[in-house]
Short mmCIF file of all heavy atoms in Angstrom, two decimals:
data_model
loop_
_atom_site.label_atom_id
_atom_site.label_comp_id
_atom_site.label_asym_id
_atom_site.label_seq_id
_atom_site.Cartn_x
_atom_site.Cartn_y
_atom_site.Cartn_z
N PHE J 23 6.81 1.74 -2.18
CA PHE J 23 7.66 0.87 -3.01
C PHE J 23 8.74 1.65 -3.75
O PHE J 23 8.60 2.86 -3.99
CB PHE J 23 6.80 0.18 -4.07
CG PHE J 23 5.98 -0.96 -3.54
CD1 PHE J 23 4.67 -0.76 -3.15
CD2 PHE J 23 6.52 -2.23 -3.45
CE1 PHE J 23 3.90 -1.81 -2.68
CE2 PHE J 23 5.77 -3.29 -2.97
CZ PHE J 23 4.45 -3.09 -2.59
N ASP J 24 9.76 0.92 -4.17
CA ASP J 24 10.76 1.52 -5.07
C ASP J 24 10.18 1.57 -6.50
O ASP J 24 9.17 0.93 -6.78
CB ASP J 24 12.11 0.78 -4.98
CG ASP J 24 12.05 -0.66 -5.46
OD1 ASP J 24 10.96 -1.15 -5.83
OD2 ASP J 24 13.11 -1.31 -5.47
N PHE J 26 9.43 0.85 -10.39
CA PHE J 26 9.42 -0.40 -11.16
C PHE J 26 8.86 -0.11 -12.55
O PHE J 26 8.35 1.00 -12.80
CB PHE J 26 8.56 -1.47 -10.46
CG PHE J 26 7.08 -1.15 -10.47
CD1 PHE J 26 6.22 -1.74 -11.40
CD2 PHE J 26 6.55 -0.23 -9.58
CE1 PHE J 26 4.86 -1.44 -11.42
CE2 PHE J 26 5.20 0.08 -9.60
CZ PHE J 26 4.35 -0.52 -10.52
N ASN J 32 8.59 6.36 -7.68
CA ASN J 32 7.34 5.70 -7.32
C ASN J 32 6.60 6.66 -6.38
O ASN J 32 7.12 7.00 -5.31
CB ASN J 32 7.59 4.35 -6.63
CG ASN J 32 6.31 3.55 -6.45
OD1 ASN J 32 5.29 4.11 -6.04
ND2 ASN J 32 6.36 2.26 -6.74
N SER J 34 4.31 6.32 -4.39
CA SER J 34 3.99 5.81 -3.05
C SER J 34 5.11 6.17 -2.08
O SER J 34 4.87 6.69 -1.00
CB SER J 34 3.74 4.30 -3.09
OG SER J 34 4.91 3.59 -3.46
N THR J 57 10.01 -3.73 -5.07
CA THR J 57 8.94 -4.28 -5.92
C THR J 57 9.37 -5.66 -6.41
O THR J 57 9.71 -5.86 -7.59
CB THR J 57 8.60 -3.31 -7.07
OG1 THR J 57 8.25 -2.03 -6.51
CG2 THR J 57 7.43 -3.82 -7.90
N ILE J 81 1.51 1.44 0.90
CA ILE J 81 1.08 2.33 -0.17
C ILE J 81 1.76 1.86 -1.45
O ILE J 81 2.93 1.46 -1.43
CB ILE J 81 1.49 3.80 0.12
CG1 ILE J 81 1.14 4.21 1.57
CG2 ILE J 81 0.86 4.75 -0.90
CD1 ILE J 81 -0.32 4.19 1.92
N GLY J 82 1.02 1.93 -2.58
CA GLY J 82 1.61 1.52 -3.86
C GLY J 82 1.10 2.39 -5.00
O GLY J 82 0.08 3.08 -4.86
N GLN J 83 1.83 2.35 -6.10
CA GLN J 83 1.44 3.09 -7.31
C GLN J 83 0.45 2.29 -8.13
O GLN J 83 0.66 1.09 -8.35
CB GLN J 83 2.71 3.36 -8.14
CG GLN J 83 2.48 3.69 -9.61
CD GLN J 83 3.79 3.70 -10.39
OE1 GLN J 83 4.76 4.32 -10.00
NE2 GLN J 83 3.81 2.98 -11.51
N ALA J 84 -0.61 2.94 -8.58
CA ALA J 84 -1.52 2.31 -9.54
C ALA J 84 -1.63 3.25 -10.74
O ALA J 84 -2.49 4.13 -10.79
CB ALA J 84 -2.89 2.07 -8.93
N ALA J 151 -6.78 -5.23 -5.80
CA ALA J 151 -5.42 -4.68 -5.70
C ALA J 151 -4.54 -5.25 -6.80
O ALA J 151 -3.32 -5.11 -6.77
CB ALA J 151 -4.85 -4.99 -4.33
N THR J 153 -2.87 -8.37 -9.24
CA THR J 153 -2.27 -9.67 -8.94
C THR J 153 -0.75 -9.58 -9.00
O THR J 153 -0.05 -10.57 -9.20
CB THR J 153 -2.77 -10.75 -9.95
OG1 THR J 153 -2.60 -10.25 -11.28
CG2 THR J 153 -4.24 -11.07 -9.73
N PHE J 154 -0.26 -8.34 -8.84
CA PHE J 154 1.19 -8.09 -8.89
C PHE J 154 1.70 -7.95 -7.44
O PHE J 154 1.10 -8.48 -6.50
CB PHE J 154 1.43 -6.85 -9.77
CG PHE J 154 2.86 -6.64 -10.21
CD1 PHE J 154 3.62 -7.66 -10.76
CD2 PHE J 154 3.44 -5.38 -10.08
CE1 PHE J 154 4.93 -7.44 -11.16
CE2 PHE J 154 4.76 -5.14 -10.48
CZ PHE J 154 5.51 -6.17 -11.02
N VAL J 155 2.78 -7.22 -7.26
CA VAL J 155 3.45 -7.21 -5.95
C VAL J 155 2.61 -6.53 -4.86
O VAL J 155 2.67 -6.90 -3.69
CB VAL J 155 4.86 -6.59 -6.06
CG1 VAL J 155 5.57 -6.62 -4.71
CG2 VAL J 155 5.69 -7.34 -7.10
N CYS J 156 1.79 -5.55 -5.21
CA CYS J 156 0.98 -4.88 -4.18
C CYS J 156 -0.03 -5.83 -3.56
O CYS J 156 -0.17 -5.89 -2.34
CB CYS J 156 0.27 -3.65 -4.77
SG CYS J 156 1.43 -2.34 -5.20
N ASN J 157 -0.74 -6.57 -4.40
CA ASN J 157 -1.67 -7.57 -3.88
C ASN J 157 -0.93 -8.62 -3.05
O ASN J 157 -1.42 -9.09 -2.02
CB ASN J 157 -2.42 -8.24 -5.05
CG ASN J 157 -3.29 -9.39 -4.59
OD1 ASN J 157 -4.34 -9.19 -4.00
ND2 ASN J 157 -2.84 -10.62 -4.84
N PHE J 176 -4.04 -1.32 2.70
CA PHE J 176 -3.24 -0.89 1.55
C PHE J 176 -4.00 0.22 0.81
O PHE J 176 -5.22 0.16 0.65
CB PHE J 176 -3.07 -2.08 0.59
CG PHE J 176 -1.98 -1.89 -0.43
CD1 PHE J 176 -0.75 -2.50 -0.27
CD2 PHE J 176 -2.19 -1.07 -1.53
CE1 PHE J 176 0.26 -2.31 -1.20
CE2 PHE J 176 -1.18 -0.87 -2.46
CZ PHE J 176 0.05 -1.50 -2.30
N HIS J 178 -3.70 2.39 -2.87
CA HIS J 178 -3.04 2.68 -4.15
C HIS J 178 -3.17 4.17 -4.45
O HIS J 178 -4.22 4.78 -4.18
CB HIS J 178 -3.68 1.87 -5.29
CG HIS J 178 -2.96 0.58 -5.59
ND1 HIS J 178 -3.57 -0.65 -5.50
CD2 HIS J 178 -1.69 0.34 -6.01
CE1 HIS J 178 -2.69 -1.58 -5.84
NE2 HIS J 178 -1.54 -1.01 -6.16
N1 LIG P 2 2.63 -0.86 -7.52
C1 LIG P 2 2.66 -2.24 -7.97
C2 LIG P 2 3.79 -2.89 -7.21
C3 LIG P 2 4.60 -1.76 -6.67
C4 LIG P 2 3.75 -0.57 -6.81
O1 LIG P 2 4.00 0.57 -6.37
C5 LIG P 2 1.32 -2.95 -7.85
O2 LIG P 2 0.27 -2.27 -7.92
O3 LIG P 2 1.28 -4.16 -7.70
#
Side-chain angles (χ1 to χ4, degrees):
F23 283 95
D24 65 357
F26 69 99
N32 189 316
S34 65
T57 303
I81 313 298
Q83 160 190 310
T153 51
F154 194 49
V155 181
C156 291
N157 174 74
F176 196 102
H178 265 120

